[in-house]
Amino acid sequence: MEKPYDHERPPEGVELLAVKSADGVGSREDAGRCYDPHLHRNLANPTSTVGTFVHVMKSALGIGILSVPGAFKDGGLVFGVAGTFFLAMLCSHSAHILVSTSYRICKKERIPVLGFGETVEKACSYGPPSIQTLGRVLRNAIDWYLMLTTVVVFIVFVGTTLREVINYRTGLEWSDRTYILLVGIPILFITQIRELKYLVPFSAIAGFLILANIVISLVFVFQEPLSLEERRLFPTTATVAPYMGVVYFALDATCLIFPLENQMRNPRHYLGCPGIVNLNYVCLAVLYSFFGAVGYIRYGETVKSSIILNFPPDSLLVSSIQVLSAVAVLFSIGLIFYVPSEIAWKKLRPRVPKEWTGWAQAGLRLGMLVLNMVAACGIPHLGTFMGLLGSVLNPILALWIPIVVDTVYRWPNRRFGRFHWRLVKNGACACFGLFLLITGAISSVQNIVALYQ
């Protein structure tokens, strides 16, 4: 049952325009038909279409691509390529149903923009009381999960990678903590950038460095002729799950779907055909498939979990790959840090006097960074345990939540298409999400057990 429109309170700063029906009485449906949320966004520094594409590409293109050849060893060449395109399509589909449902809700309720958690709560408000309660619970859970998403794993990666290269090449014996504290200096300035528009150059540099890594890796791959002899084409029942886990988590970037779309100057370019999301995942599917296939063809069953481990360890090119990876992650931290800091600031902002807004936001970002630095220096093997948390929560966030939003919003009017095909599709996606959750959790637990054996 929908709530009466007159009882809805608009968000702060949103002006409700009077809309009258033919009989002179305003209605929520009439208001929705006349209202375009995209025209009512008030953005001080919107991001261009090209800038958003750079962010979207960087959010899903990380150093995880170096693990894809190892995943192809589990998935096989034919299944590996087909599976990569399927998983990229699945990530794109999740973004589509989230953003399109959010737009329809904004249009109906005359709200310019909604975040991830707000979209979930609003979608559930169209259901029965029990679903409405679930919506409030999910919104709080999503907000807190995204807010507590840390950059500590990335800080540790940058510090330890630089330690390995610099200590090996120079003979120094500096500790991990020393390098972590040193990289904290540039990170301090990067994390103080508050607008996505000004983070575009950092994402562009990070993306360029990752592409440079791929090119250098291909130099090693193509040093000898490639042969398909004894190369697996399809997975076994025991290896399909590890393949899915590596490739899916390398492609997933659900937490940045709304922050990027909500800051666009032309949000209509985000979805559609071709659209930023579609074009991004097509490019990523081609790149991941090519790199994974040729890497597996080159090294076969001896390919490691990261293809760098197959290269000569004394080579300067290998050291350059490691340094480029560290610097790429360093330049990515600003984009990763944006989501939790913005959610935390949204909760703190109502309690801060207007004249102290700038200082309070800077202090909040500094405090969050300090906590991450302390955790990076003080908690050994934290990344392994964060991997367990991500393997459990990411399928929920990336697959189950979009399915809940789409299903609950369509449920009152049963708008599921002919033969309820959308409902069947959502059920299949939910089962696949359960499969990823179980297999990812098992793999992470095995890593933790191996760590302490």
Side-chain angles (χ1 to χ4, degrees):
M1 181 70 67
E2 292 184 5
K3 299 177 182 178
Y5 179 66
D6 292 338
H7 294 168
E8 293 284 339
R9 297 185 63 184
E12 182 179 356
V14 178
E15 179 183 1
L16 293 182
L17 305 178
V19 180
K20 294 185 177 181
S21 59
D23 59 2
V25 180
S27 72
R28 188 179 187 182
E29 293 297 332
D30 291 336
R33 282 192 289 268
C34 300
Y35 183 86
D36 186 353
H38 292 162
L39 301 179
H40 291 78
R41 293 183 177 181
N42 184 20
L43 302 175
N45 294 292
T47 311
S48 67
T49 299
V50 174
T52 303
F53 178 80
V54 171
H55 277 320
V56 173
M57 178 66 75
K58 176 60 204 71
S59 65
L61 176 61
I63 57 173
I65 191 173
L66 299 176
S67 301
V68 174
F72 268 59
K73 179 182 69 173
D74 293 323
L77 291 173
V78 174
F79 186 86
V81 172
T84 300
F85 276 87
F86 167 76
L87 293 173
M89 180 184 68
L90 190 63
C91 291
S92 176
H93 178 66
S94 295
H96 272 265
I97 61 178
L98 278 174
V99 175
S100 60
T101 303
S102 180
Y103 175 80
R104 289 194 292 268
I105 293 173
C106 287
K107 185 176 178 65
K108 179 177 290 189
E109 304 209 0
R110 299 173 59 80
I111 300 172
V113 67
L114 287 172
F116 195 169
E118 295 166 328
T119 297
V120 174
E121 183 180 24
K122 285 287 185 181
C124 291
S125 70
Y126 292 90
S130 59
I131 297 297
Q132 296 173 19
T133 302
L134 175 64
R136 289 188 289 270
V137 172
L138 288 177
R139 175 185 177 173
N140 291 327
I142 290 170
D143 283 348
W144 279 101
Y145 171 67
L146 294 178
M147 186 173 66
L148 295 176
T149 299
T150 65
V151 296
V152 61
V153 177
F154 303 96
I155 295 173
V156 171
F157 174 83
V158 175
T160 54
T161 301
L162 291 179
R163 177 192 60 78
E164 291 176 6
V165 177
I166 296 176
N167 284 7
Y168 177 76
R169 293 292 173 183
T170 63
L172 295 174
E173 296 182 356
W174 291 0
S175 66
D176 289 342
R177 290 184 176 88
T178 301
Y179 284 97
I180 288 173
L181 292 174
L182 288 175
V183 299
I185 297 173
I187 293 174
L188 172 63
F189 293 99
I190 294 173
T191 53
Q192 286 296 328
I193 300 175
R194 306 170 192 173
E195 301 289 345
L196 282 173
K197 176 181 179 180
Y198 302 125
L199 286 172
V200 171
F202 293 89
S203 291
I205 293 172
F208 174 79
L209 294 177
I210 292 173
L211 290 176
N213 269 355
I214 295 172
V215 171
I216 296 173
S217 299
L218 291 176
V219 170
F220 287 101
V221 169
F222 287 106
Q223 280 182 343
E224 298 179 7
L226 302 183
S227 173
L228 293 175
E229 186 178 356
E230 297 183 358
R231 297 300 182 258
R232 184 184 301 172
L233 299 181
F234 297 94
T236 65
T237 55
T239 61
V240 65
Y243 161 80
M244 289 284 185
V246 171
V247 177
Y248 179 76
F249 290 117
L251 289 168
D252 177 49
T254 305
C255 63
L256 286 165
I257 289 175
F258 281 100
L260 295 177
E261 194 272 345
N262 289 345
Q263 291 294 318
M264 286 189 68
R265 180 181 294 115
N266 299 300
R268 294 187 184 278
H269 296 170
Y270 197 67
L271 304 182
C273 184
I276 289 175
V277 173
N278 289 339
L279 186 60
N280 169 74
Y281 278 109
V282 168
C283 293
L284 288 176
V286 172
L287 182 60
Y288 276 54
S289 296
F290 173 75
F291 187 73
V294 296
Y296 171 54
I297 293 172
R298 171 67 176 84
Y299 293 104
E301 297 302 310
T302 64
V303 67
K304 307 295 185 182
S305 57
S306 176
I307 197 171
I308 296 179
L309 300 175
N310 288 99
F311 303 154
D314 294 333
S315 171
L316 285 175
L317 284 178
V318 173
S319 295
S320 68
I321 292 175
Q322 292 175 301
V323 173
L324 290 176
S325 298
V327 177
V329 172
L330 177 66
F331 279 100
S332 304
I333 284 178
L335 181 61
I336 300 165
F337 191 78
Y338 177 85
V339 175
S341 62
E342 283 300 299
I343 294 176
W345 172 242
K346 188 175 182 180
K347 293 182 179 296
L348 179 64
R349 181 171 52 188
R351 301 178 176 86
V352 177
K354 189 174 182 179
E355 60 271 18
W356 290 96
T357 296
W359 287 104
Q361 193 167 4
L364 173 67
R365 286 172 170 262
L366 177 60
M368 293 177 67
L369 176 60
V370 169
L371 290 176
N372 279 274
M373 293 294 295
V374 170
C377 291
I379 305 177
H381 310 306
L382 180 62
T384 304
F385 293 96
M386 292 296 294
L388 174 61
L389 184 64
S391 66
V392 173
L393 295 180
N394 279 1
I396 297 175
L397 199 69
L399 276 178
W400 284 2
I401 295 299
I403 290 167
V404 168
V405 168
D406 185 57
T407 303
V408 171
Y409 180 77
R410 295 177 181 276
W411 190 267
N413 298 316
R414 303 297 193 273
R415 296 193 299 267
F416 295 112
R418 192 173 185 181
F419 304 118
H420 288 198
W421 69 269
R422 286 191 177 91
L423 189 61
V424 175
K425 177 262 299 177
N426 287 350
C429 289
C431 293
F432 185 68
L434 180 62
F435 168 77
L436 289 176
L437 186 153
I438 294 174
T439 55
I442 292 174
S443 176
S444 297
V445 170
Q446 289 174 342
N447 290 337
I448 294 174
V449 172
L451 181 66
Y452 289 99
Q453 280 183 343

